[in-house]
Amino acid sequence: MVAETGAVLDMPLLRVERASRVYRMGDVEVAALSGADLAIRRGEFLVILGPSGSGKTTLLNVIGGMDRPTSGRVWYGDMELSAMGAVAQTAYRRDSVGFIFQFYNLVPTLTAYENVQVATELVSSPLDPSEALRLVGLADRAGHFPSQLSGGEQQRVAIARALAKRPELLLADEPTGALDLQTARGVLGLLQELNRSQGLTSVLITHNPAIAGIAKRTVRMVSGRIAEIRENKHVIAAKDVTW
Amino acid sequence: MRALHRKLGRELLGSAGVLLTVIAIIAVGTGCFIGLGSAVRILTLSQQSYYDDYRFADFWISVKKAPLTVVERLRQMDGVAVIEPRIVFDVILDVPDEPQPLTGRLLSTPAERYDQVLNGLCLVRGAAFSDDRDEEVILSEAFAVAHGLNPGDRIGLILNRKRESFIIAGTAISPEYVYMVRGEGDLVPDPKHFGILYVKEHYARDVLDFRDACNQIVGRMTPGADIDVETLLKRMERELDPYGVLATTPRERQASHRFLSDEIAGGRVSSTMIPAIFLSIAALALNVLMSRFAERQRTIIGTLKALGYSDRAVLGHFVGFGVVVGVVGGIAGGGIGIAMAAGMVEMYKGFFQFPTFVYELYPDLLLIGLLISIVFAVAGTAKGVWVVLRLQPAEAMRQKPPERGGASFLERLPWLWRRLGFRTHIALRALVRNRVRTLTGVLSTSLAAGMLLISFVMVDSIWYLVEFQFDRITHSDMDVGMRDESSIDAVWEAQSLPGVDYVEPLLGLPCDLRNGRHTRRLAITGLSPEHRLMTPMRTDFVPIDIPPEGIVMARKLAEILAVDAGDALELVPVRGRREPVRVHVASIVDSFLGLDCYADIGYLSRIVGESAAVNSLQVQVDPVERAALFRAIKNLPNAQGLSVRSDVKANIEGTFVSSMTATFGVIILFAGVIAFGSILNNALVEIGDRIRDISTFRVLGYRPWQVAAIFLRQTLVTYVLGIILAAPISYGLIRLMVQAYDTELFRMPAIITLRSVIVSALLSLLFVLLAQAVVYWQIRKLNWLEGIQVKE
Ligand SMILES: Nc1ncnc2c1ncn2[C@@H]1O[C@H](COP(=O)(O)OP(=O)(O)OP(=O)(O)O)[C@@H](O)[C@H]1O
Ligand SMILES: [Mg+2]
């Protein structure tokens, strides 16, 4: 019995098989992704590391239903993302994925609360926006506009927005890229904590090797390929990250 | 979607200024649609109900004198529903306290059923005929008002060499004279100098010597009769032939009906054309605005899509801007439209006389106007947003790829390019980069300039025609109309009247000209050999030579009759001996009046069979003795009308001036809205795009006007291109106008003066510079400390 349950748990939530993404610009072809293979387990915290231009964002977009691979296949459970139409893609993004971006991408004309609301109004059983803001420690800033918040606070609103939908998969593209070390530690800690306490499958992109240590598994990308997958012996706490 | 609604609301308020420019253009477009549309409906409905209630006739036949028995025969004809004989008689009027003799038209009407006959009377003031006396008239209301005449007052006229004095029983209007002109020759009503006197039928019969006879027959056709009015009139004409048919007029050619119907038809065209132009420009301007707006919200669009918003939902959100703009523009347009309709009804009241104007609000028009406004606004918005929206979310999140083809062709001329200075470079590059935006600005400027120019040309052309007619062709001080063809002796008699310096006879001979199957009824003007009070002119100001034998005709008429100079034609006089005569065409000339046809008066008289006939006297007057002459004409037995050239001209000019000033004001205002709105919209969008550049310039120490100068350059280039484009656009429109007015009756000269061109260009420049003033003010108040931190 135990073994069987283990097998179900071990079945990857996401499978990427020989996925390529080629951009055509006039006569020039740029392969942002060329034959990437990857499996992500349910409840995992995965860091994708790689130099600028190595295809990290492209991979994340393909996983998140924001883009389709030119060739190869991508599976989410038993749904094939690579074969989905636009409507199904939208539904997948809406119901399963939470996104966090490097530049937060908050709507400047909406308050923190309303920015979270933009997400919660989409789904059937979301968190209450106030609850989501409380989770990221911003309960008292609900009525503030993005321009009245610091970068770290804005990123925490963005995290609240992603969380509030209760996604199964959290995708973060350089969430600390624009933050100083101290603030970054807070944000990373929050993500680490969410993964630990709620079992939220999380994928985090960074080109900063210092951050890689906070995940159990690190994927290193080089020119559109998965160059190396490493298991970390010692997972470090976000508050100990330094660069 | 409450959060997105809130976003929409705040962003709408945030960009209220720039949205207002578009809203103004939409409001004008919708306003024109509703205003002109209502005006057309008001006129149409007023016309219809008037015609129905007072039985407007389908046809008129003027005869010399026909017995009532023949009218009975006409009544039996297929397709005839009603037929009524009546007597029409033009007379000289003598109004108390009015030195000048005026032209009056006596119209016989049954004393009892005056409101139930064809072209029934609608009493305005006073009462109907009484039984007390026969010398009673119902006077046309406009004439009564122009002379301050009231029921109970007296009015005198000369009838059969006898002065008669009438009591005014009441005043009335009639569907026959909604537009009160004597006939097609008159351009505008002249209520001061022309009045209609409705007299009791039996009285008219007795006094005018029409016992058991009539000289006009009016009728109505059976609805749905399978005979058309022209055929019916042909048949009646044959029946009436022995009695001298002077004219047959189907409703379509009836002067009042024609002016009114032309006004309605013109209104119909304008009520679709003008709104279409304005709303298209508004849609373009909104497209410019919203594509930039969407571009700036690229990442937000990407984020919304990443969150799981569908394309439809995101599009719906942005289209909300269009809907709000459309609704606000539509509602404002409704207000403009209602005001405009009211203004037009006021203007129409000066021209057209209806018992009541069916003036009401048309909710369906308001609604359609609102819908059209929303449709155009939404279309402009959706088009602008669509480019960003159809991107994959991943794509939308990325920076926009740099525009290609930013280099203008001027950059390939380095020697010129280098001279232009960097601010001109910025301006030119921006113009080349944002082609749709530039095009919208250019198009709006050219439409504004074109609109202005066409109005000027229109006015100048009408003015030109009036001056041509009154200063070049006619030189007499007054024309006295004579009853029937009087003998040439009338000239000698007139010569001896007080104050008369010189008299010249004129014969208007109504006749049919026939060339095989081509035929046309018209009046040939007979001039004396030494004519100098009337010198017919070609369009190039060369006086037309009147040959001693044969006729001269306008090119249009020659085309209708398919004749060339030297060809022979058959001429059948309408009155007198109605025997066909062969005449030859001496020459063909270009004339503004399409049916112009001249001959020597002696030659024409011989055709009619009289030694020398006259039906109009042209008189040159010694101004000192005007009063004496007026008195004498009032007593002139054969006179049936008088027109004083300066009065006629002043009336035409006055009418045009009063109707044109209002119209002009509106056109200038609308042209201003389109040019100012569109240029300002462009500039504000541009400022939004370039806040960081502007701030950087300010940090570097540039003064606001120096920064604004970049925008000024951009605007001026747009303006110049617009003016250049205005040339072909206006040319095309003027050609259309000339063609539209190239009727049988008259040809419109297209008078394009340098002054019109310059004034149109300067006015458009003024609008554009006003927009520029707002731009300067915007740049001055821009917070550049914040602007410097905007990330791109
Ligand atoms: N829309 C596109 N059109 C053309 N090329 C693209 C496009 N998107 C990505 N690329 C190219 O694909 C490659 C991978 O891009 P991607 O954004 O995935 O890199 P990345 O690893 O996320 O880099 P960074 O760390 O700088 O964000 C790059 O060379 C990029 O220039
Ligand atoms: Mg990236």
Side-chain angles (χ1 to χ4, degrees):
Chain A
M1 285 301 278
V2 175
E4 257 187 81
T5 316
V8 171
L9 279 178
D10 275 353
M11 188 194 150
L13 180 65
L14 257 162
R15 275 177 294 140
V16 180
E17 294 172 358
R18 281 188 299 287
S20 297
R21 178 66 169 94
V22 180
Y23 290 107
R24 215 162 266 114
M25 294 185 301
D27 296 337
V28 191
E29 287 196 347
V30 181
L33 208 58
S34 39
D37 280 298
L38 183 66
I40 299 170
R41 288 188 293 270
R42 193 182 288 278
E44 184 174 11
F45 191 104
L46 183 80
V47 166
I48 300 178
L49 187 68
S52 183
S54 58
K56 306 181 296 291
T57 299
T58 308
L59 178 62
L60 198 77
N61 285 340
V62 164
I63 292 172
M66 300 257 284
D67 199 1
R68 255 178 300 240
T70 340
S71 68
R73 307 172 113 196
V74 182
W75 297 82
Y76 179 80
D78 51 6
M79 280 194 302
E80 189 186 340
L81 301 183
S82 46
M84 268 181 179
V87 174
Q89 244 189 358
T90 302
Y92 166 66
R93 289 197 301 265
R94 185 183 63 217
D95 300 330
S96 309
V97 188
F99 275 103
I100 300 163
F101 307 98
Q102 178 174 0
F103 296 110
Y104 340 125
N105 296 4
L106 299 177
V107 178
T109 46
L110 293 180
T111 60
Y113 183 92
E114 290 160 350
N115 262 291
V116 177
Q117 218 181 6
V118 167
T120 57
E121 283 176 355
L122 264 181
V123 293
S124 48
S125 54
L127 291 182
D128 184 70
S130 322
E131 171 65 12
L133 285 173
R134 202 187 51 74
L135 276 177
V136 298
L138 284 177
D140 51 338
R141 311 297 299 273
H144 289 178
F145 286 96
S147 57
Q148 298 165 318
L149 300 170
S150 74
E153 286 160 350
Q154 288 187 52
Q155 191 58 298
R156 281 193 277 161
V157 175
I159 293 172
R161 180 175 66 184
L163 285 180
K165 289 203 302 181
R166 294 191 202 261
E168 295 164 346
L169 179 62
L170 192 69
L171 303 178
D173 190 350
E174 307 256 15
T176 57
L179 303 177
D180 62 64
L181 177 59
Q182 202 51 43
T183 319
R185 279 180 183 154
V187 167
L188 291 174
L190 184 60
L191 293 177
Q192 215 175 21
E193 168 58 22
L194 284 166
N195 170 258
R196 207 169 282 154
S197 62
Q198 310 193 2
L200 179 58
T201 313
S202 309
V203 180
L204 187 149
I205 286 183
T206 181
H207 61 254
N208 187 348
I211 292 174
I214 65 166
K216 209 163 187 184
R217 216 154 62 109
T218 309
V219 173
R220 205 161 58 80
M221 290 190 72
V222 178
S223 8
R225 269 179 244 280
I226 309 291
E228 183 194 4
I229 301 179
R230 218 176 63 201
E231 301 274 342
N232 267 345
K233 302 237 169 46
H234 312 287
V235 176
I236 55 171
K239 65 174 169 32
D240 299 329
V241 168
T242 187
W243 63 77
Chain B
M1 304 273 273
R2 280 177 331 228
L4 285 189
H5 288 160
R6 231 163 285 143
K7 168 179 182 294
L8 175 69
R10 287 189 195 133
E11 287 166 8
L12 273 170
L13 280 182
S15 38
V18 65
L19 286 175
L20 224 52
T21 62
V22 181
I23 289 174
I25 303 177
I26 291 197
V28 167
T30 314
C32 286
F33 175 82
I34 294 169
L36 296 173
S38 304
V40 165
R41 269 208 212 171
I42 290 167
L43 270 193
T44 312
L45 293 180
S46 305
Q47 181 192 36
Q48 255 167 24
S49 69
Y50 197 15
Y51 282 7
D52 288 349
D53 295 350
Y54 290 87
R55 286 163 301 280
F56 186 54
D58 285 326
F59 56 84
W60 289 251
I61 306 174
S62 295
V63 290
K64 217 167 153 150
K65 187 173 187 176
L68 294 182
T69 47
V70 76
V71 177
E72 279 315 307
R73 287 215 298 279
L74 298 184
R75 203 188 301 276
Q76 305 310 321
M77 285 185 161
D78 279 347
V80 176
V82 188
I83 205 139
E84 289 173 1
R86 61 183 200 179
I87 301 156
V88 184
F89 207 75
D90 282 0
V91 291
I92 295 266
L93 295 181
D94 182 13
V95 174
D97 302 328
E98 174 63 58
Q100 188 175 333
L102 306 166
T103 308
R105 178 167 294 169
L106 290 192
L107 250 170
S108 69
T109 187
E112 304 289 311
R113 308 178 301 110
Y114 63 89
D115 56 343
Q116 286 157 46
V117 289
L118 295 183
N119 307 320
L121 293 186
C122 168
L123 218 54
V124 179
R125 289 185 286 153
F129 295 114
S130 72
D131 293 332
D132 302 349
R133 60 188 88 73
D134 280 339
E135 293 83 5
E136 261 182 4
V137 292
I138 296 176
L139 193 58
S140 54
E141 165 73 4
F143 182 82
V145 169
H147 291 281
L149 291 170
N150 296 305
D153 291 350
R154 282 189 169 270
I155 184 167
L157 51 86
I158 293 93
L159 259 186
N160 282 351
R161 298 177 181 258
K162 267 185 29 219
R163 285 184 55 86
E164 303 278 355
S165 178
F166 286 82
I167 291 221
I168 301 168
T171 65
I173 56 174
S174 139
E176 209 176 353
Y177 292 101
V178 175
Y179 191 75
M180 224 180 82
V181 288
R182 258 162 283 208
E184 272 176 346
D186 288 357
L187 270 182
V188 293
D190 189 356
K192 191 134 185 61
H193 300 105
F194 173 60
I196 298 168
L197 292 80
Y198 299 92
V199 295
K200 293 179 188 170
E201 195 169 33
H202 66 89
Y203 174 82
R205 290 236 162 85
D206 289 351
V207 177
L208 298 172
D209 197 20
F210 274 89
R211 220 145 301 164
D212 300 320
C214 66
N215 68 355
Q216 191 170 64
I217 294 154
V218 292
R220 262 195 152 183
M221 297 183 65
T222 326
D226 52 1
I227 177 172
D228 65 280
V229 66
E230 297 284 356
T231 321
L232 182 65
L233 283 175
K234 283 252 154 51
R235 281 185 201 162
M236 293 190 162
E237 208 177 331
R238 269 199 298 278
E239 197 71 40
L240 292 166
D241 194 54
Y243 312 106
V245 178
L246 300 178
T248 58
T249 315
R251 187 187 273 200
E252 266 50 58
R253 288 209 302 270
Q254 201 257 354
S256 160
H257 175 79
R258 223 166 121 153
F259 278 109
L260 180 55
S261 303
D262 283 354
E263 183 67 35
I264 292 173
R268 252 193 209 117
V269 175
S270 333
S271 71
T272 47
M273 289 271 291
I274 298 177
I277 290 177
F278 274 85
L279 291 173
S280 307
I281 288 290
L284 270 177
L286 203 54
N287 174 47
V288 164
L289 181 61
M290 290 312 287
S291 21
R292 279 319 290 167
F293 194 72
E295 201 51 65
R296 262 179 246 152
Q297 297 217 349
R298 222 179 137 96
T299 47
I300 292 179
I301 293 178
T303 308
L304 290 177
K305 287 175 76 165
L307 283 172
Y309 279 89
S310 65
D311 285 4
R312 271 238 320 271
V314 180
L315 182 65
H317 166 63
F318 281 94
V319 158
F321 283 86
V323 172
V324 171
V325 167
V327 168
V328 175
I331 290 173
I336 294 177
I338 291 170
M340 205 164 147
M344 291 193 69
V345 166
E346 270 322 299
M347 194 176 86
Y348 287 151
K349 278 183 185 162
F351 287 104
F352 301 116
Q353 298 194 292
F354 287 105
T356 47
F357 267 97
V358 189
Y359 178 50
E360 45 182 285
L361 292 183
Y362 299 106
D364 59 321
L365 261 188
L366 288 171
L367 209 67
I368 295 171
L370 185 64
L371 277 180
I372 293 179
S373 149
I374 293 173
V375 165
F376 272 83
V378 165
T381 309
K383 175 79 186 38
V385 176
W386 185 243
V387 182
V388 178
L389 194 71
R390 61 157 203 243
L391 299 176
Q392 277 279 333
E395 190 76 29
M397 303 283 250
R398 297 178 64 87
Q399 291 270 311
K400 195 187 179 193
E403 301 270 352
R404 269 177 296 172
S408 67
F409 80 99
L410 278 177
E411 286 182 63
R412 269 172 253 136
L413 305 171
W415 52 271
L416 179 62
W417 184 251
R418 255 180 273 122
R419 260 158 228 244
L420 290 176
F422 81 97
R423 279 184 295 180
T424 310
H425 292 174
I426 296 178
L428 288 177
R429 287 213 182 97
L431 285 171
V432 173
R433 203 175 323 118
N434 306 303
R435 275 161 224 249
V436 177
R437 196 182 299 174
T438 307
L439 192 76
T440 307
V442 169
L443 212 59
S444 320
T445 318
S446 66
L447 281 172
M451 255 166 84
L452 293 170
L453 182 61
I454 287 179
S455 329
F456 289 133
V457 168
M458 192 88 164
V459 170
D460 281 346
S461 302
I462 293 171
W463 224 245
Y464 181 88
L465 271 187
V466 171
E467 307 230 301
F468 190 83
Q469 190 63 31
F470 287 95
D471 297 343
R472 301 276 179 168
I473 296 187
T474 55
H475 308 283
S476 59
D477 295 320
M478 40 183 99
D479 296 348
V480 184
M482 306 300 284
R483 198 171 313 289
D484 302 329
E485 280 87 37
S486 312
S487 86
I488 194 75
D489 296 342
V491 176
W492 309 123
E493 282 169 31
Q495 191 76 68
S496 62
L497 293 179
V500 171
D501 281 349
Y502 177 71
V503 184
E504 215 169 77
L506 204 70
L507 172 62
L509 177 70
C511 62
D512 289 314
L513 283 181
R514 241 181 252 155
N515 175 31
R517 57 191 177 81
H518 306 284
T519 173
R520 181 78 200 164
R521 174 161 297 180
L522 64 137
I524 302 181
T525 309
L527 297 171
S528 73
E530 311 83 32
H531 62 94
R532 58 184 166 92
L533 292 188
M534 177 169 184
T535 47
M537 291 233 186
R538 310 197 314 213
T539 48
D540 55 3
F541 294 115
V542 176
I544 296 172
D545 253 339
I546 311 295
E549 300 265 310
I551 56 177
V552 186
M553 64 172 69
R555 194 164 305 282
K556 192 93 192 176
L557 180 59
E559 278 163 18
I560 294 171
L561 296 170
V563 289
D564 276 327
D567 288 357
L569 281 172
E570 199 167 75
L571 182 156
V572 189
V574 168
R575 8 186 159 187
R577 260 184 12 222
R578 307 204 52 212
E579 275 152 31
V581 210
R582 286 199 80 70
V583 295
H584 76 273
V585 179
S587 64
I588 291 167
V589 293
D590 284 306
S591 161
F592 286 123
L593 302 178
L595 296 183
D596 257 0
C597 187
Y598 299 100
D600 180 76
I601 193 167
Y603 172 76
L604 276 189
S605 303
R606 281 197 300 282
I607 289 173
V608 197
E610 294 172 29
S611 57
V614 174
N615 56 10
S616 166
L617 294 177
Q618 297 187 284
V619 188
Q620 220 162 35
V621 181
D622 176 358
V624 181
E625 294 193 73
R626 247 169 89 112
L629 177 59
F630 281 154
R631 267 194 305 277
I633 291 177
K634 281 181 182 173
N635 295 309
L636 207 59
N638 264 334
Q640 66 166 2
L642 172 78
S643 62
V644 176
R645 196 163 61 97
S646 55
D647 288 348
V648 177
K649 190 179 176 194
N651 178 52
I652 292 180
E653 291 181 343
T655 311
F656 274 122
V657 167
S658 64
S659 71
M660 283 319 281
T661 14
T663 314
F664 248 145
V666 173
I667 288 175
I668 291 175
L669 186 73
F670 287 0
V673 167
I674 214 169
F676 174 82
S678 173
I679 293 286
L680 183 57
N681 177 58
N682 276 3
L684 292 181
V685 169
E686 192 90 28
I687 290 178
D689 271 2
R690 301 230 297 256
I691 286 184
R692 208 179 51 175
D693 296 354
I694 296 170
S695 307
T696 309
F697 281 129
R698 297 282 280 122
V699 172
L700 287 176
Y702 279 87
R703 307 185 56 88
W705 65 264
Q706 288 170 312
V707 181
I710 299 176
F711 291 87
L712 179 62
R713 283 174 171 84
Q714 219 162 304
T715 299
L716 286 182
V717 173
T718 306
Y719 167 76
V720 169
L721 291 176
I723 292 294
I724 292 171
L725 182 65
I729 287 185
S730 317
Y731 181 76
L733 287 173
I734 290 169
R735 278 289 295 274
L736 271 180
M737 177 188 89
V738 167
Q739 260 167 29
Y741 283 100
D742 188 13
T743 61
E744 280 189 6
L745 284 180
F746 115 157
R747 210 169 94 188
M748 185 84 134
I751 303 301
I752 308 169
T753 61
L754 188 61
R755 197 195 60 189
S756 305
V757 173
I758 291 175
V759 172
S760 311
L762 284 182
L763 268 176
S764 331
L765 182 62
L766 177 72
F767 304 142
V768 160
L769 290 181
L770 278 178
Q772 205 53 44
V774 180
V775 170
Y776 171 74
W777 173 65
Q778 285 283 323
I779 289 176
R780 245 189 65 159
K781 69 164 204 172
L782 185 95
N783 183 342
W784 43 275
L785 273 180
E786 243 171 51
I788 202 75
Q789 282 149 25
V790 168
K791 27 173 222 292
E792 294 277 305

